[in-house]
Amino acid sequence: MNNTIIGTGINRKDGQAKVTGTATYAAEHQIPNLIHGYLVTASIANGKIKSINTQAAATAPGVITVFTHKNAPKIFKPTNNFVNSKIYEARLPLADDTIHYAGQIIGLVVADTFEQARDAAHLVKVEYTTQKPILDPKQATFKNAPSMFGEEMKFEKGDFATGNFADSMAGAAVKITATYKTATELHAPMEPHAIIAHWQNPDSLTVYEATQWVAGSQNTYSELFGLTPERVRIVTPFLGGGFGSKAFPWPHGILCAAAARKLQRPLKVVLSRRQMTANSGHRSATEQTVRLAANADGSLQGIEHTAKSYTSPVDVFAEPCTNITAVMYAAPNLRLQQELAVMNIGTPTFMRAPGENPGLYALESAMDELAWELGIDPIELRLKNETQENPRRGLPFSAKHFAECLRVGAEQFGWQERPKKPRSLTRDGKLIGWGMAGCTFPGLRGAASVKIRLLADGTAHVLTSGNDMGTGAYTIVASTAAAGLGLPVEKVRVELGDSLFPNGSIAGGSQMTATLIPAVMVACEEVLKTAQAKTAQEAFASLRQSQRAAFEATGSSAPGQEGSKWAFQSWGAHFCEISLDEEIGRLQVTRWVSVMNIGKVMNAKTAASQIRGAVIMGIGQALMEECHFDPNIGYPVVYDLATYHYPTHADIPRIQVSFVGEPDLNFNPAGVRGVGEIGITGVAPAIANAIYHATGKRIRDLPITPDKFL
């Protein structure tokens, strides 16, 4: 393999298509005879539909039909697990007359145009029998969180204990007990959720939808409509952001496909931003208590981490905050517990580093509090308590460079100049604070297949259903194939996101790169074997001589026995500087350094871009993002991109990103781990810790808005 290509900063293969507008997203596919649907949603959070009058809507201009629970199109219940299929809500759309949360789908108006469908949807009249909803966590009943995932996802959740935590607290020289809260965060990808469902006949469906898992959606839609997977085609060449909210079908997509089958017309449904606040998932608010017991030298003797989060009445999703704790720091006595309560809200779901992100906010904030209590540098405390194995599995880490991340980051940031006292650093009349936090995310990998064709025109064609939600998959697939075939990157064409291609696995859990790249490497070897050539140039010469059109081969890769020998994890550290005008509560993040250990870096440019994007998202979480639910109607009080606050360019400093470590060849043949999610973990606590350094005030509730300084 030509390794001079791998790791360099190659421009995006999909960049030109995106900036020129030729990249086709879900709602942009041009289908003849297309009709449009608009959702009717509940205006209460708990109760039943007493009556629903669709007469005015049904007779409005352009309206074709109105679906409600009274005439719901036929849908089958899927297996609904990660092996066969998965939907975000276990309750199928329009299943009955019960309302579980505000914004729940109660109807679909179908019309010739979007505007006609939207206008008619407002003519549907609904009367409800209401019950008082549970919207306040103080009124909710918490129970131990059930297991949500099968072994195939390899997320470690739930309760865990070693040793005797109570004894460790009793004998500790220094103890820390603190409760941390994170707010409900909404998904707000650039591309709204959208679907076009096109039935060629009653037994053949094509779905154009923004999905992070093409093969999974194919299985799911086939089960929903009683088809073999081969009768369902999923097309997703581009996603305008997913972050976990586009991994599986939501009720609107299921309903759209069912309605299109009933009408035998291609149907498009696009969610409004208002509808997305209730119908496309969110990160649950959390309340976490961390207790640390340490000796006077800073060595941890015990860690207790308990977490509470909230789910909807129609499905189970527990924000798994405690799964990261035992991996991050070593202590002989551990106690972890996850609790869950049901509230009348839409179903929460995966959101960039689910569990790891809020979990590390609590843990890394508590570690900073312990460092101040002990009078020990926060970096020294982390180095002293670094883990060498995953205690849940009893396995050593395959490759770990957390200490190097801390040391390199400290040097780049100038951490050694940090004043050891709060409120001791000022600039231009403002308080200045420095903070840091560690970060981590599990190394996950699935099975994938890739087809490569060497064409007579001297180019290579790479095809797989694995897709690119903006992370750079087009680019690293092309560069890997170019390196394996001995071609310039410009001679490699990549097609992604179509279920007609070989199964390329899921773009989620930061596993697409680690899953797909080994398969590309195998496919390169296989196509050269087929051509009986050492390089693509030799194969092209053979094509010209034989007058064949192409050589092609499929390569596959999957995890082996390495998971029984090693634990796989990525590591990193964030360092930040903030300035605070205390009189008006105006805070700015003014400097940022991130150092990451992710195994082999496939493309320096797109990898650094992923970290920067994640840091920006984390800054939003720390300082701005917050969704409240209206206590009267239960709907999110934010309703568009103007009312939901997130960072703009003016809020973001230059973000310096570096990578350390070597390829993790114990993990996969490419030595690469994921990068998409680790960058957001640790961001919020780094900011909170910097705020304490600046002000001497420990703020434990996110977001840290100006009112909390005044």
Side-chain angles (χ1 to χ4, degrees):
M1 176 175 281
N2 179 6
N3 288 319
T4 59
I5 298 175
I6 303 300
T8 57
I10 298 171
N11 290 336
R12 285 179 176 268
K13 290 286 284 186
D14 53 328
Q16 184 172 351
K18 289 180 175 177
V19 300
T20 59
T22 58
T24 305
Y25 293 87
E28 298 176 334
H29 292 272
Q30 301 302 305
I31 311 297
N33 205 28
L34 183 68
I35 54 179
H36 300 262
Y38 196 88
L39 300 177
V40 182
T41 57
S43 59
I44 66 166
N46 190 17
K48 286 184 176 292
I49 298 173
K50 184 177 180 181
S51 67
I52 183 165
N53 187 331
T54 62
Q55 184 176 358
T59 56
V63 171
I64 297 167
T65 192
V66 181
F67 291 102
T68 70
H69 69 281
K70 294 182 177 181
N71 64 336
K74 187 174 181 59
I75 307 169
F76 295 101
K77 282 196 171 184
T79 310
N80 200 21
N81 61 37
F82 283 101
V83 176
N84 300 304
S85 64
K86 185 74 181 73
I87 55 179
Y88 277 116
E89 288 191 1
R91 176 189 179 274
L92 294 176
L94 307 185
D96 50 46
D97 61 355
T98 303
I99 305 301
H100 300 279
Y101 59 90
Q104 177 184 309
I105 298 170
I106 60 172
L108 177 70
V109 176
V110 180
D112 291 329
T113 70
F114 168 80
E115 291 79 10
Q116 289 170 332
R118 180 192 59 195
D119 292 349
H122 296 301
L123 300 177
V124 176
K125 304 299 181 184
V126 187
E127 290 186 66
Y128 302 97
T129 301
T130 61
Q131 294 179 309
K132 185 175 178 58
I134 298 175
L135 300 169
D136 185 348
K138 295 176 183 177
Q139 300 172 349
T141 301
F142 287 88
K143 300 178 181 178
N144 279 4
S147 175
M148 300 182 295
F149 309 99
E151 174 61 21
E152 67 280 355
M153 283 300 287
K154 295 183 175 60
F155 279 113
E156 297 160 321
K157 314 293 181 185
D159 297 357
F160 180 74
T162 62
N164 189 313
F165 176 76
D167 287 351
S168 70
M169 283 294 281
V174 177
K175 308 170 189 177
I176 292 290
T177 298
T179 297
Y180 306 90
K181 295 180 181 180
T182 64
T184 298
E185 294 177 77
L186 296 181
H187 272 294
M190 183 79 74
E191 176 196 23
H193 287 252
I195 177 175
I196 298 174
H198 183 197
W199 292 85
Q200 285 75 27
N201 57 62
D203 296 316
S204 183
L205 170 64
T206 299
V207 173
Y208 305 90
E209 185 173 29
T211 177
Q212 296 172 226
W213 191 14
V214 168
S217 286
Q218 182 184 38
N219 287 338
T220 301
Y221 279 108
S222 70
E223 288 193 359
L224 286 163
F225 299 107
L227 306 173
T228 60
E230 294 75 22
R231 306 298 294 174
V232 177
R233 182 185 178 193
I234 308 296
V235 182
T236 314
F238 296 97
L239 283 85
F243 311 104
S245 73
K246 295 176 180 175
F248 318 112
W250 285 101
H252 73 272
I254 299 169
L255 181 56
C256 176
R261 187 185 207 182
K262 180 81 171 178
L263 298 172
Q264 279 300 295
R265 293 275 301 276
L267 175 62
K268 180 195 290 190
V269 172
V270 180
L271 295 192
S272 68
R273 290 290 171 181
R274 175 66 159 163
Q275 291 167 347
M276 283 175 61
T277 64
N279 291 288
S280 62
H282 59 270
R283 194 196 300 275
S284 168
T286 72
E287 180 180 314
Q288 304 172 65
T289 299
V290 177
R291 302 170 71 197
L292 303 178
N295 291 336
D297 66 353
S299 57
L300 287 168
Q301 296 304 301
I303 304 174
E304 182 186 65
H305 189 174
T306 62
K308 296 178 179 179
S309 63
Y310 319 101
T311 193
S312 78
V314 295
D315 214 326
V316 172
F317 188 90
E319 186 73 21
C321 302
T322 62
N323 72 314
I324 207 64
T325 310
V327 172
M328 199 68 186
Y329 300 111
N333 304 287
L334 287 167
R335 188 160 67 197
L336 311 176
Q337 186 180 32
Q338 185 86 25
E339 293 182 297
L340 187 66
V342 175
M343 293 172 54
N344 292 108
I345 56 177
T347 306
T349 193
F350 308 97
M351 188 171 185
R352 203 171 199 164
E356 287 82 9
N357 177 22
L360 275 181
Y361 168 63
L363 180 62
E364 288 297 279
S365 296
M367 286 292 286
D368 194 71
E369 297 200 42
L370 179 62
W372 282 102
E373 188 71 21
L374 288 163
I376 294 177
D377 186 274
I379 295 176
E380 180 185 340
L381 180 65
R382 286 164 173 79
L383 291 172
K384 182 180 286 290
N385 294 286
E386 185 181 8
T387 53
Q388 299 304 318
E389 67 172 29
N390 184 326
R392 288 180 182 261
R393 298 185 182 182
L395 295 174
F397 293 113
S398 59
K400 185 176 183 185
H401 295 271
F402 181 45
E404 188 177 356
C405 292
L406 292 169
R407 294 185 178 116
V408 171
E411 181 178 352
Q412 291 181 352
F413 190 81
W415 186 259
Q416 66 277 6
E417 303 298 327
R418 170 179 173 266
K420 304 301 189 292
K421 186 178 179 182
R423 302 185 70 87
S424 58
L425 190 60
T426 60
R427 186 186 305 138
D428 300 327
K430 299 175 183 177
L431 291 169
I432 304 297
W434 290 4
M436 60 79 53
C439 56
T440 189
F441 193 82
L444 303 176
R445 177 192 176 197
S449 296
V450 173
K451 178 184 286 187
I452 293 184
R453 305 181 74 229
L454 298 178
L455 305 178
D457 64 0
T459 63
H461 192 186
V462 186
L463 305 102
T464 180
S465 75
N467 55 5
D468 188 339
M469 59 176 171
T471 53
Y474 276 103
T475 310
I476 60 172
V477 167
S479 63
T480 302
L485 298 170
L487 288 174
V489 175
E490 294 76 19
K491 293 290 186 179
V492 179
R493 183 161 66 97
V494 179
E495 286 193 59
L496 303 176
D498 192 322
S499 61
L500 294 178
F501 305 154
N503 184 352
S505 194
I506 184 172
S510 290
Q511 62 184 297
M512 178 56 80
T513 300
T515 298
L516 202 53
I517 294 308
V520 176
M521 295 166 63
V522 173
C524 289
E525 295 172 0
E526 292 299 318
V527 77
L528 291 177
K529 286 180 186 177
T530 301
Q532 296 182 329
K534 292 183 179 179
T535 67
Q537 297 298 341
E538 289 184 18
F540 295 146
S542 178
L543 286 173
R544 287 191 293 270
Q545 292 171 4
S546 65
Q547 296 187 339
R548 289 182 58 167
F551 293 115
E552 70 175 45
T554 298
S556 300
S557 180
Q561 298 302 310
E562 64 272 11
S564 63
K565 302 175 184 178
W566 305 99
F568 303 109
Q569 200 82 16
S570 289
W571 309 91
H574 297 294
F575 295 78
C576 81
E577 177 186 273
I578 64 99
S579 72
L580 174 65
D581 186 335
E582 204 169 24
E583 288 188 2
I584 59 174
R586 186 182 186 218
L587 183 146
Q588 284 189 300
V589 179
T590 51
R591 196 156 57 94
W592 198 278
V593 170
S594 296
V595 182
M596 298 289 150
N597 164 228
I598 60 168
K600 179 69 175 178
V601 177
M602 299 301 296
N603 184 334
K605 181 177 288 188
T606 54
S609 178
Q610 280 299 291
I611 298 300
R612 291 189 179 99
V615 169
I616 292 168
M617 199 168 175
I619 291 172
Q621 175 194 27
L623 302 177
M624 304 171 193
E625 295 192 43
E626 184 174 25
C627 171
H628 293 288
F629 295 91
D630 188 306
N632 298 308
I633 63 172
Y635 224 109
V637 297
V638 295
Y639 51 86
D640 57 19
L641 296 182
T643 53
Y644 183 67
H645 295 164
Y646 50 85
T648 65
H649 286 300
D651 301 303
I652 304 301
R654 178 179 180 270
I655 299 170
Q656 180 179 332
V657 178
S658 302
F659 297 97
V660 299
E662 74 282 337
D664 188 354
L665 296 173
N666 293 319
F667 186 37
N668 60 40
V672 61
R673 298 192 298 265
V675 67
E677 294 176 270
I678 186 174
I680 196 174
T681 69
V683 171
I687 293 171
N689 296 340
I691 290 170
Y692 178 79
H693 183 232
T695 66
K697 185 175 183 180
R698 184 67 65 174
I699 301 175
R700 301 185 179 94
D701 294 1
L702 297 185
I704 304 174
T705 46
D707 56 291
K708 294 174 182 175
F709 299 114
L710 302 176

